């Protein structure tokens, strides 16, 4: 689907506002930033800001939500012959590569230590989880919900559970990496190993905490 010029301009404005909000929050702390400052930083009017976001917190978290959407699209793009967990593992590995190479570590730390952002982060996680559950349902041939509240409830147990555990596993992997020795400055292979362990445990089941596949690559 081709995106028109008007839509591209709207996307660019939204991204500019989100990046400005994040930049100011990292520099001054979210509690010390105003929506007026964000609008000035992005060189737009205050009215334009509120056309895209309802609060400074929503603007800061918008990039997180966009990356969640990218994760879902990467999963959709995986070969149909791959199992659900194999496709998810590949999508998550690409996701963490983008986070690390995009130097998003300080952003992750800031969001975790800012109580005012938690509600907005949870909303972004929930939206990403719903979208991922729908993508999983489509992949296994279940009826695809249209995104409405009523349809979301119709997503099956398997797609919903897979999406929830994948998102939880991703958060665990990122937290362990950023909070571990070196504070996220370690090589990317360490993070990949943690992601591999997450998916190995999901693949083998969680009933036995001592059971982890020798080869941690799902389907490897």
């Amino acid at each position: 689907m081709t995106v028109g010029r008007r839509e591209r301009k709207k996307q660019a404005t939204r991204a500019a506002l989100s990046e400005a909000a994040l930049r100011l929050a990292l520099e001054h702390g979210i509690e010390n930033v105003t929506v007026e400052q964000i609008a000035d930083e992005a060189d737009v009017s205050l009215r334009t800001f509120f056309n895209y976001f309802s609060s400074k917190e929503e603007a800061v978290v918008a990039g997180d939500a966009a990356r969640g959407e990218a994760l879902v699209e990467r999963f959709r793009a995986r070969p149909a012959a791959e199992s659900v967990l194999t496709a998810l593992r590949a999508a998550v590995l690409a996701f963490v590569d983008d986070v690390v190479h995009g130097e998003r570590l300080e952003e992750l730390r800031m969001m975790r230590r800012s109580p005012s952002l938690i509600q907005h982060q949870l909303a972004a996680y929930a939206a990403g989880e719903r979208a991922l559950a729908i993508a999983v349902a489509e992949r296994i041939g279940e009826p695809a919900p249209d995104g409405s509240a009523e349809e979301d409830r119709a997503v099956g147990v398997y797609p919903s559970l897979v999406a929830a555990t994948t998102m939880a596993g991703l958060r665990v992997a990122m937290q362990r990496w950023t909070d571990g020795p070196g504070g996220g400055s370690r090589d990317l292979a360490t993070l990949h190993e943690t992601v591999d362990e997450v998916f190995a445990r999901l693949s083998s089941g969680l009933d036995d905490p001592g059971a982890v596949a020798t080869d941690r690559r799902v389907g490897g």
Side-chain angles (χ1 to χ4, degrees):
M1 178 178 173
T2 303
V3 178
R5 182 178 180 181
R6 177 182 173 85
E7 184 60 29
R8 289 198 302 272
K9 185 176 180 180
K10 289 171 64 176
Q11 290 175 354
T13 301
R14 181 180 178 85
L17 282 166
S18 177
E19 290 166 5
L22 181 59
R23 191 162 54 247
L24 290 170
L26 286 169
E27 184 176 351
H28 304 292
I30 185 63
E31 66 278 2
N32 299 315
V33 174
T34 66
V35 292
E36 289 83 0
Q37 289 172 321
I38 296 171
D40 286 344
E41 181 78 4
D43 196 25
V44 300
S45 68
L46 191 59
R47 179 178 179 180
T48 296
F49 175 91
F50 284 112
N51 284 339
Y52 290 88
F53 301 109
S54 62
S55 67
K56 61 183 181 180
E57 290 84 3
E58 184 182 357
V60 169
V61 175
D64 212 26
R67 284 188 293 279
E69 293 170 3
L71 170 62
V72 173
E73 290 310 308
R74 282 196 172 93
F75 170 68
R76 290 183 189 275
R78 296 302 302 175
E82 291 182 348
S83 70
V84 169
L85 287 184
T86 297
L88 281 169
R89 172 185 170 275
V92 168
L93 286 172
F95 173 89
V96 299
D97 285 357
D98 282 352
V99 170
V100 175
H101 292 149
E103 300 181 349
R104 298 290 185 176
L105 298 180
E106 285 305 315
E107 174 186 340
L108 292 173
R109 295 190 185 101
M110 183 270 292
M111 289 188 179
R112 289 178 58 192
R113 64 175 178 255
S114 303
S116 65
L117 294 176
I118 292 176
Q119 178 183 350
H120 298 273
Q121 277 189 291
L122 291 176
Y125 289 150
E129 187 178 307
R130 283 195 301 273
L132 186 56
I134 290 172
V136 171
E138 292 173 345
R139 190 177 188 89
I140 64 175
E142 288 192 3
D146 63 11
S148 67
E150 295 77 10
E151 288 283 1
D152 282 342
R153 288 197 296 270
V155 178
V157 171
Y158 177 81
S160 299
L161 184 59
V162 167
T165 53
T166 296
M167 297 300 282
L170 173 57
R171 290 196 295 274
V172 168
M174 292 304 301
Q175 287 172 8
R176 287 180 63 85
W177 193 66
T178 56
D179 293 346
S185 62
R186 297 169 295 169
D187 63 287
L188 191 59
T190 305
L191 179 54
H192 280 201
E193 288 175 1
T194 306
V195 171
D196 282 343
E197 180 176 353
V198 165
F199 280 94
R201 290 186 178 278
L202 292 180
S203 181
S204 63
L206 301 176
D207 192 48
D208 183 359
V212 180
T214 301
D215 185 347
R216 290 179 173 175
R217 293 173 300 170
V218 177

